[in-house]
Amino acid sequence: MIDIKAKSPEANIANKIKKWVKTAKEAETTVFAISITRLTSIKSLCADDRTAAEKFALYMARRLQHQMNQATCPEHYAEPEWEQHKQVVDEAIALMEVYLENPSNEGKQSIYNLLRIIDSLQGDDRRNVHWTTVHFVRSGDLLKLDYALRCFSDIDFPYWVYKLAREYIESYAPQYGTGITPESVPMLLDIAEFWCQYYFAQSLSEKFPGWV
């Protein structure tokens, strides 16, 4: 018997994206941070589509590149280190673009090599926190880039898509706590926009009129 109530795959995808739009609206006036676990549904959007994960990773890397190019050198970096980080981002984007155009073992090996370089740039500040070892990285920007590259290199790419999106969206403020806050809203809508364009070739405002 056919379950006539079952939703089509397209309807399920649209429902996930719409829930993010609703979350963004909630976050605009929230008193406490909204749990970042609302973002876990992103895993299902690419679970059977590695190309979707890779295109999302490239999109996020380009966003990172733009932000870094618009920013000035942070106080805790020397100018040469900051320039080196930006060069690594440029190189990563070039590798991603080539790999998406022509996947190859050589291309994947180049990604692995760059991941090792990023790891070396992050330093070796590892501390025991609550009975586990935590790596305190030098650069949050390179951490995002690391997650983006792992969308290409790792078997469990949906996990890294989630980690990448979480790192992009999650924020902390004393009055809200950690999670999805008013400051997170533009980033959450940015991610929703990507997936709406990817699956429906429509903007959020076109797909969900009256919601954005």
Side-chain angles (χ1 to χ4, degrees):
M1 179 181 297
I2 298 175
D3 183 1
I4 59 174
K5 295 182 180 180
K7 292 183 179 179
S8 68
E10 291 79 10
N12 280 325
I13 291 168
N15 188 51
K16 290 181 175 71
I17 297 171
K18 189 173 183 179
K19 284 182 178 178
W20 295 342
V21 176
K22 290 180 179 179
T23 297
K25 284 186 172 291
E26 288 179 46
E28 288 176 342
T29 57
T30 190
V31 176
F32 300 107
I34 298 168
S35 174
I36 196 67
T37 57
R38 295 217 188 163
L39 199 61
T40 54
S41 58
I42 198 171
K43 296 179 185 179
S44 64
L45 293 184
C46 60
D48 300 315
D49 187 352
R50 178 149 208 156
T51 299
E54 293 169 349
K55 287 186 175 181
F56 174 71
L58 175 58
Y59 174 78
M60 295 300 293
R62 286 172 173 161
R63 298 291 291 166
L64 175 63
Q65 181 187 52
H66 176 75
Q67 290 169 0
M68 292 179 73
N69 286 338
Q70 294 298 309
T72 57
C73 178
E75 292 182 358
H76 59 285
Y77 292 135
E79 189 70 37
E81 184 180 15
W82 175 241
E83 289 301 319
Q84 183 182 28
H85 289 187
K86 291 197 290 185
Q87 289 171 11
V88 169
V89 173
D90 293 345
E91 182 178 347
I93 289 173
L95 288 177
M96 292 178 192
E97 290 172 341
V98 169
Y99 190 86
L100 271 167
E101 185 70 25
N102 182 29
S104 67
N105 290 332
E106 292 79 6
K108 186 155 288 189
Q109 187 58 54
S110 295
I111 289 171
Y112 288 136
N113 292 341
L114 190 56
L115 280 167
R116 284 192 285 270
I117 291 172
I118 291 171
D119 185 60
S120 69
L121 292 173
Q122 291 288 35
D124 196 30
D125 184 5
R126 290 175 169 81
R127 311 174 200 173
N128 291 324
V129 179
H130 302 303
W131 300 282
T132 189
T133 301
V134 177
H135 185 193
F136 288 81
V137 299
R138 285 278 298 157
S139 168
D141 294 323
L142 291 186
L143 184 64
K144 295 185 187 78
L145 187 66
D146 182 291
Y147 293 165
L149 287 167
R150 291 182 191 278
C151 295
F152 287 77
S153 68
D154 202 89
I155 293 174
D156 191 8
F157 55 88
Y159 168 77
W160 293 106
V161 165
Y162 168 68
K163 289 276 285 183
L164 175 58
R166 176 173 180 163
E167 190 67 25
Y168 184 58
I169 290 172
E170 192 172 34
S171 65
Y172 167 78
Q175 67 270 39
Y176 299 113
T178 301
I180 301 172
T181 70
E183 186 178 330
S184 307
V185 170
M187 284 74 81
L188 178 55
L189 290 176
D190 189 19
I191 285 176
E193 184 73 39
F194 170 86
W195 290 104
C196 194
Q197 293 279 359
Y198 182 81
Y199 279 109
F200 303 109
Q202 290 181 291
S203 67
L204 286 174
S205 59
E206 291 169 334
K207 183 65 179 176
F208 308 109
W211 279 92
V212 180

